[in-house]
Amino acid sequence: MATTIQFISKGFEEIECCDAVVELVAQQAEEICARANANNTRGGQGFTVVNKMGFAFKTRRAISLVNTTDNESRIAESEDKALSRAVIG
């Protein structure tokens, strides 16, 4: 017996843009950022979070990015994997 799943983009967009999901995505990014900053032994300003609404797979959704802020944090990621290790947990 075969099962058919119909992907309804508009429904996923409504879920991905609801307040609870926007808040959850931002919260997870803040936690990753905090771990990355704890992993940063290079000094500088560290890592920061940018929250925005964006488009992916033709739907609008909540997006949060954890970025480096300066040369020290770039080195902390490139040489020590401060952010990469923070994502893993």
Side-chain angles (χ1 to χ4, degrees):
M1 183 162 102
T3 301
T4 302
I5 298 173
Q6 182 180 3
F7 183 83
I8 303 171
S9 295
K10 187 66 178 165
F12 278 98
E13 185 173 343
E14 288 177 18
I15 292 169
E16 294 167 336
C17 293
C18 76
D19 291 342
V21 171
V22 170
E23 185 177 315
L24 179 62
V25 170
Q27 176 188 4
Q28 292 298 308
E30 290 292 343
E31 290 177 14
I32 290 169
C33 184
R35 288 193 302 266
N37 282 320
N39 292 339
N40 179 10
T41 60
R42 302 292 178 148
Q45 293 178 357
F47 298 87
T48 190
V49 174
V50 175
N51 298 306
K52 62 182 182 176
M53 296 302 288
F55 282 89
F57 304 106
K58 299 182 182 179
T59 60
R60 198 167 74 92
R61 62 183 64 203
I63 298 173
S64 291
L65 308 167
V66 180
N67 295 319
T68 60
T69 58
D70 52 22
N71 196 48
E72 288 86 352
S73 57
R74 285 189 278 290
I75 293 170
E77 171 52 20
S78 67
E79 294 184 12
D80 306 331
K81 304 299 182 213
L83 178 55
S84 297
R85 288 187 292 125
V87 172
I88 295 170

